[in-house]
């Protein structure tokens, strides 16, 4: 799958908080597993969300354990 197609499929989510809830803290993906058996987060963008008024960015933090996942083709996640 092309990088743009991977990104486009995540457009159904409006905010990283919604992604976190729907994926149960990055434990499952709405797109299943990759052919390598990894949880499919390819193309996801976890960048900050722009504020509606006043400029700047809203940053959300989430605590989770992540293993056996594929974030290739994604944009800007801070996984510290």
């Amino acid at each position: 799958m092309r990088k743009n197609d991977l990104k486009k499929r995540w457009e159904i989510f409006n905010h990283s908080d919604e992604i976190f809830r729907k994926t149960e803290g990055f434990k499952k993906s709405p797109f299943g597993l990759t052919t390598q058996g990894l949880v499919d987060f390819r193309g996801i963008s976890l960048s900050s969300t722009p504020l509606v008024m006043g400029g700047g960015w809203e940053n959300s933090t989430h605590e989770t354990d992540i293993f056996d996942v594929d974030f290739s083709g994604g944009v800007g996640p801070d996984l510290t």
Side-chain angles (χ1 to χ4, degrees):
M1 189 177 281
R2 295 179 323 167
K3 189 183 258 190
N4 284 343
D5 294 335
L6 291 170
K7 288 180 185 179
K8 187 170 266 191
R9 64 189 186 154
W10 289 98
E11 291 177 1
I12 60 172
F13 301 104
N14 296 318
H15 192 278
S16 60
D17 288 337
E18 183 180 0
I19 292 172
F20 190 78
R21 282 192 308 276
K22 297 284 186 178
T23 62
E24 298 177 11
F26 299 109
K27 303 275 187 268
K28 66 177 191 171
S29 168
F31 308 108
L33 301 176
T34 66
T35 56
Q36 294 82 16
L38 302 174
V39 182
D40 190 356
F41 289 108
R42 295 173 299 152
I44 195 170
S45 175
L46 298 177
S47 298
S48 300
T49 305
L51 296 173
V52 176
M53 298 182 73
W57 296 85
E58 174 185 341
N59 293 304
S60 300
T61 59
H62 304 285
E63 188 172 318
T64 188
D65 293 321
I66 299 174
F67 55 93
D68 294 333
V69 301
D70 185 345
F71 283 105
S72 62
V75 177
D78 179 2
L79 300 176
T80 56

